[in-house]
Amino acid sequence: MAFEDIKVRSYDGDLDRARLELLERRCEVGPSQHVFLFNDSMGDPISRIRNSPLYIMLVAELNQELIGAIQGSIKVVTLKELAKVGYILGLRVSPLHRRKGIGSSLVRHLEQWFIGNQVDYAYMATEKDNNASVNLFVNKLHYVKFRTPAILVHPVKSQPLNIPSKIKIFKINEENAEYLYRRYMGVTEFFPSDIDKVLRNKLSLGTWVACDQGGHDGFGQNGHFPTNWAMLSVWDSGGLFKLRIGKAPVSCLVYSKVSKLIDKVFACINMPVLLCNMFEPFGFYFLYGVHHEGPVSGTMVRALCKYVHNMARVGVDCKMVVTEVGSYDERVRPHIPHWRLLSCLEDLWCIKALKSEERERFNELTRIPQTRALFVDPREV
């Protein structure tokens, strides 16, 4: 196959939609070696980036066959200072055409689009053990390993989780949420400058705060906050695309069938809804902007996670609650309920400077270990 025979161009919905969905089904993606997740974009292949300020999808074509695709989005975020960054996601290459330079070509074309839009840095996320992806970006394309956040996944159970009565949970409006985020997370790495648009997006279900019962009255008035409190926002990722589990081990298949029987006989057993309907497409809620203040505020975080779990129980097709947190704050991670089987405790973010004048700042940025929290934009999940 001659490399010049491959054509890389912008995605055309009328021409490429069906072929792109076929390519997606051929490519396994997932957070662990045991369980693979397949994306169901519900007829909109660019659903994962559609809510970003600026985005593009590129496809690779060979002899009228669509053999690869990649997506990218651009936004302004906080690093050490405000920076314009391009996020790379959704790189897919047909299994029959891998190791032929198609992935590299797609990334380079996307980088050129970033450069044309004055992007300072390009970054991407992959599983730490995805050797093919790490080899492509780090060894071939000169990206630098940057952060190792954890993706924490908790299946929705059939019964509600108990929330301590001493903790008060209440919803705040978008204006107050924006104020809190800018005040307490404005210097967080990758905090988006357009947080107001994120909070007001139709997929953002709202922002909730947890504190002791006595701290609810007058919360935030005149700049006063209780000693211990926490907050987070919820994004309905199922409104964009669905997931489906495939190639699960035999033990999971057996457990799924047994779970269905148990659920019928003993309705009171609190089992994950996901395992009762393992092969049906499902949505999930993504928790973003998780923040806490105070020496025992981790219990507030756990209460909020339980609250969202109980919300998800009545959500349409919602079978998972997911969040992604940085490796720096070990106080909060143990308080977020999750299953190790479905979670990825060490995701890998890689970054690359696209402007020569950013090299010195880039070297400093990548040398310094993470000392601040990490903000994961729900528009890029």
Side-chain angles (χ1 to χ4, degrees), residues 69 76 136 182 218 245 270 309 335 337 371:
V76 177
L136 171 63
R182 292 194 186 279
I245 290 182
N270 191 16
H309 170 277
H335 293 281
T371 57

Side-chain angles (χ1 to χ4, degrees), residues 9-305:
R9 57 172 175 79
S10 295
Y11 165 77
D12 182 325
D14 294 333
L15 179 64
D16 301 324
R17 182 177 290 108
R19 296 191 298 168
L20 196 60
E21 290 180 350
L22 178 61
L23 174 66
E24 185 73 34
R25 287 195 296 270
R26 290 173 176 170
C27 298
E28 299 172 341
V29 296
S32 78
Q33 60 182 333
H34 306 292
V35 179
F36 295 99
L37 298 179
F38 295 85
N39 288 328
D40 179 356
S41 60
M42 301 184 293
D44 184 11
I46 59 173
S47 59
R48 292 180 66 189
I49 54 175
R50 186 174 293 282
N51 290 281
S52 298
L54 186 62
Y55 60 86
I56 193 173
M57 172 182 276
L58 301 175
V59 298
E61 195 175 39
L62 176 66
N63 298 329
Q64 305 302 314
E65 179 187 1
L66 197 149
I67 60 173
I70 195 170
Q71 301 179 35
S73 63
I74 297 174
K75 62 182 179 180
V76 177
V77 304
T78 300
L79 286 176
K80 289 197 69 176
E81 301 172 354
L82 285 181
K84 200 171 188 180
V85 299
Y87 182 53
I88 301 171
L89 74 162
L91 177 58
R92 304 284 186 266
V93 176
S94 172
L96 296 177
H97 295 280
R98 291 173 181 171
R99 298 182 179 85
K100 298 177 181 178
I102 298 168
S104 300
S105 179
L106 284 166
V107 175
R108 290 192 176 101
H109 277 80
L110 184 56
E111 287 178 346
Q112 288 303 311
W113 181 74
F114 286 157
I115 292 170
N117 284 281
Q118 303 300 310
V119 166
D120 300 308
Y121 304 101
Y123 75 106
M124 52 76 67
T126 187
E127 294 82 33
K128 184 179 180 181
D129 297 328
N130 188 334
N131 295 327
S133 182
V134 173
N135 181 61
L136 171 63
F137 282 92
V138 176
N139 298 335
K140 292 184 179 180
L141 299 173
H142 309 298
Y143 282 70
V144 176
K145 296 179 181 180
F146 182 58
R147 298 290 180 251
T148 55
I151 302 173
L152 306 178
V153 180
H154 190 247
V156 175
K157 297 186 177 181
S158 57
Q159 299 296 322
L161 302 180
N162 293 324
I163 299 173
S165 59
K166 65 180 181 179
I167 295 178
K168 175 69 174 180
I169 296 177
F170 56 98
K171 189 176 183 179
I172 61 176
N173 61 33
E174 291 91 347
E175 182 179 357
N176 289 334
E178 180 184 352
Y179 167 77
L180 289 176
Y181 279 128
R182 292 194 186 279
R183 172 172 174 171
Y184 288 99
M185 300 191 75
V187 296
T188 299
E189 284 187 337
F190 287 89
F191 180 81
S193 63
D194 63 341
I195 185 63
D196 55 319
K197 293 182 179 178
V198 178
L199 294 169
R200 288 169 173 79
N201 190 288
K202 63 181 181 180
L203 296 172
S204 189
L205 302 182
T207 301
W208 283 265
V209 169
C211 63
D212 291 325
Q213 284 284 355
H216 172 239
D217 295 333
F219 180 89
Q221 293 183 8
N222 300 319
H224 173 73
F225 296 92
T227 302
N228 295 286
W229 62 276
M231 66 181 291
L232 56 76
S233 299
V234 184
W235 184 273
D236 182 10
S237 296
L240 291 176
F241 61 93
K242 306 292 185 185
L243 296 175
R244 177 174 61 83
I245 290 182
K247 289 192 176 180
V250 174
S251 58
C252 282
L253 303 181
V254 173
Y255 186 71
S256 177
K257 294 182 181 296
V258 173
S259 295
K260 290 181 180 179
L261 177 61
I262 294 175
D263 193 39
K264 292 179 180 179
V265 179
F266 303 104
C268 62
I269 292 180
N270 191 16
M271 75 184 75
V273 175
L274 173 65
L275 295 180
C276 297
N277 304 281
M278 178 169 285
F279 301 108
E280 297 178 6
F282 60 90
F284 64 97
Y285 286 170
F286 184 77
L287 312 183
Y288 70 97
V290 180
H291 179 75
H292 61 105
E293 292 282 335
V296 295
S297 55
T299 58
M300 311 295 177
V301 173
R302 178 172 288 274
L304 284 170
C305 291

